[in-house]
Amino acid sequence: MNTEHKFVWLDFVRGLSAIAVCAGHLRAATIVDYAELGRGNLLQQAFYVATGLGHQSVMVFFVLSGFFVGGSVLRSGENFNGGRYALARLSRLWVVLLPALLLTAVVGQVLASMAPEVLSGGYKPIWNSGPVDATEYSSSWRTLLGNLLFLQTILTPVFGINGPLWSLANEFWYYVLFPLCSIAIGWSVRREAATIVPRVLTGALAIAILYWLPKDIRDAYSIWLMGLVVYFSRGRLSPTVRRIVMVVGLVAFAASLGYSKSDTLQERLGWPSDPIIGLCFCVLCVALANLPMPKNMNSMFVKLSHGMSTFSYSLYLSHFPLVALIGALGYGTTRLRPDVFGLLQFTGWLALLLAVGGVFWWLFERKTDEVRRFVAGLPKRYLRAS
């Protein structure tokens, strides 16, 4: 089993977070807002809570990414290789991103023909995602290239209708920034190359990139870096301390989610909710990362957690164009109430989106290592050919 997947609970959280993002977008497109429902029953209230944490789940992704990706850089230490790292990160991103952009383009053509009001921003107030107006929607070659180079929200809009692509720009630039910072500090550089000039230049480049990035991306970098706290905590907690941290983390994380949903509290205190969610999840994540591995690594829970984590990226990139298609062509502005009939439809659509995410993984993401090995072997093939 891959070293990453020894962290079974983090696998579970990562998979659950991707499903939460998908479910939140689907609910906005198919089920009426809670304000329109009036006073719902306990089941309905639980449904709205469970499907209302999409943005918060992205903050969870950032912390987990800092732990896994930042941790891999730190583990490399003096053996860090920029070329291998770049190949690993880019193959991981592009193998799924390319077909997701193609799916987005196809769905965009269908919507342009059958529901053009979606592309002109008519559904933004209802779905809380997608283009604000016709000037924001873009499926041009320039926007496509910008998204392939992870410049969406920086120099170009997200491509087409696929609003969740915004976070991919954050991730990519954090992948770039952290190794630069690590080299500048001296964590990831060979001793013979640890002279002051290269480290100063590398640090200056990191500062320049931070200055160039938009404020939203810059601010969220601190959330990504919280994953390093989790990394450094591994194996350092006694069982008693771990239990205390677990309780504190669960209470704090639940409180942070509540805070993120309270406009009144945020206006009164003036604290942005995203870093608070990141910090509180970081505490919980410290406890989860220090849990011992399950005795039975073939248990249903371990297999479920591993599977959910494995296809989470494919689900994240593929779901929203299909949600837009379902919402625009199936429901329009007349959405369902969360009664038995409405919840059954919602569950059916969610199952379909999860299945598509699984197909995306099977067709593309599972071949990431194969693509990586092929690209890594190109120089040797070229030398043999010449």
Side-chain angles (χ1 to χ4, degrees):
M1 181 174 289
N2 188 297
T3 302
E4 283 190 3
H5 298 296
K6 291 179 180 179
F7 299 100
V8 175
W9 281 100
L10 300 189
D11 279 349
F12 181 74
V13 171
R14 179 160 55 182
L16 197 62
S17 297
I19 294 172
V21 173
C22 176
H25 286 140
L26 178 64
R27 192 257 289 167
T30 59
I31 305 291
V32 297
D33 293 338
Y34 186 73
E36 298 178 44
L37 176 65
R39 186 172 179 82
N41 60 42
L42 191 60
L43 176 62
Q44 291 171 330
Q45 291 173 6
F47 169 75
Y48 280 97
V49 170
T51 57
L53 300 173
H55 181 78
Q56 293 83 345
S57 295
V58 178
M59 299 306 109
V60 168
F61 278 136
F62 286 163
V63 176
L64 291 175
S65 178
F67 170 66
F68 285 117
V69 179
S72 73
V73 173
L74 295 178
R75 260 194 319 275
S76 299
E78 297 175 10
N79 296 317
F80 176 76
N81 182 292
R84 283 200 300 267
Y85 174 80
L87 176 59
R89 292 299 97 210
L90 288 172
S91 60
R92 164 74 172 155
L93 293 171
W94 275 337
V95 165
V96 181
L97 178 60
L98 285 166
L101 290 172
L102 177 60
L103 172 66
T104 304
V106 170
V107 169
Q109 290 299 310
V110 173
L111 291 174
S113 172
M114 303 182 71
E117 63 275 13
V118 174
L119 310 186
S120 61
Y123 282 80
K124 172 70 174 183
I126 302 171
W127 295 349
N128 299 315
S129 191
V132 175
D133 53 43
T135 61
E136 188 184 62
Y137 176 83
S138 176
S139 58
S140 68
W141 285 103
R142 178 180 180 273
T143 301
L144 176 65
L145 180 61
N147 280 241
L148 283 171
L149 297 177
F150 309 101
L151 295 172
Q152 62 271 35
T153 74
I154 303 172
L155 298 180
T156 72
V158 297
F159 181 73
I161 196 71
N162 206 336
L165 291 177
W166 71 267
S167 68
L168 224 55
N170 292 55
E171 286 284 357
F172 173 79
W173 290 103
Y174 302 156
Y175 294 168
V176 172
L177 280 167
F178 184 68
L180 294 177
C181 296
S182 184
I183 291 170
I185 294 170
W187 287 343
S188 302
V189 61
R190 296 181 185 278
R191 294 185 188 279
E192 61 270 20
T195 56
I196 191 66
V197 173
R199 288 172 59 185
V200 168
L201 291 176
T202 303
L205 177 58
I207 292 170
I209 291 173
L210 272 171
Y211 180 80
W212 169 72
L213 289 171
K215 185 178 184 299
D216 289 347
I217 297 180
R218 205 163 51 235
D219 289 348
Y221 186 39
S222 62
I223 300 172
W224 192 92
L225 290 173
M226 290 175 192
L228 301 180
V229 176
V230 184
Y231 174 81
F232 285 118
S233 78
R234 295 171 311 138
R236 297 178 182 273
L237 304 186
S238 67
T240 301
V241 172
R242 187 182 66 235
R243 284 192 287 270
I244 294 172
V245 174
M246 178 71 76
V247 172
V248 171
L250 284 169
V251 172
F253 185 54
S256 73
L257 295 178
Y259 177 76
S260 72
K261 289 295 184 180
S262 174
D263 294 335
T264 303
L265 264 180
Q266 291 180 53
E267 289 175 8
R268 183 178 302 170
L269 297 177
W271 301 339
S273 63
D274 287 353
I276 292 176
I277 291 169
L279 180 61
C280 293
F281 176 69
C282 177
V283 176
L284 176 58
C285 199
V286 165
L288 294 175
N290 280 277
L291 285 174
M293 291 175 61
K295 293 180 180 179
N296 181 9
M297 291 300 288
N298 290 316
S299 68
M300 183 63 69
F301 174 72
V302 172
K303 291 179 178 178
L304 176 65
S305 299
H306 177 64
M308 287 167 58
S309 174
T310 298
F311 91 127
S312 59
Y313 179 49
S314 291
L315 176 64
Y316 185 82
L317 289 197
S318 66
H319 78 275
F320 192 78
L322 300 178
V323 166
L325 210 57
I326 292 167
L329 303 186
Y331 300 92
T333 57
T334 306
R335 294 173 293 169
L336 300 168
R337 293 183 66 80
D339 51 22
V340 173
F341 178 70
L343 292 180
L344 281 175
Q345 285 198 50
F346 174 87
T347 303
W349 288 123
L350 181 60
L352 175 64
L353 293 172
L354 295 180
V356 171
V359 169
F360 245 68
W361 170 83
W362 191 83
L363 289 175
F364 309 111
E365 189 173 0
R366 75 185 179 104
K367 298 181 179 178
T368 300
D369 288 341
E370 184 180 332
V371 170
R372 194 175 295 154
R373 287 192 296 269
F374 175 80
V375 174
L378 285 177
K380 295 179 182 177
R381 294 188 186 89
Y382 174 78
L383 288 173
R384 283 200 299 269
S386 59

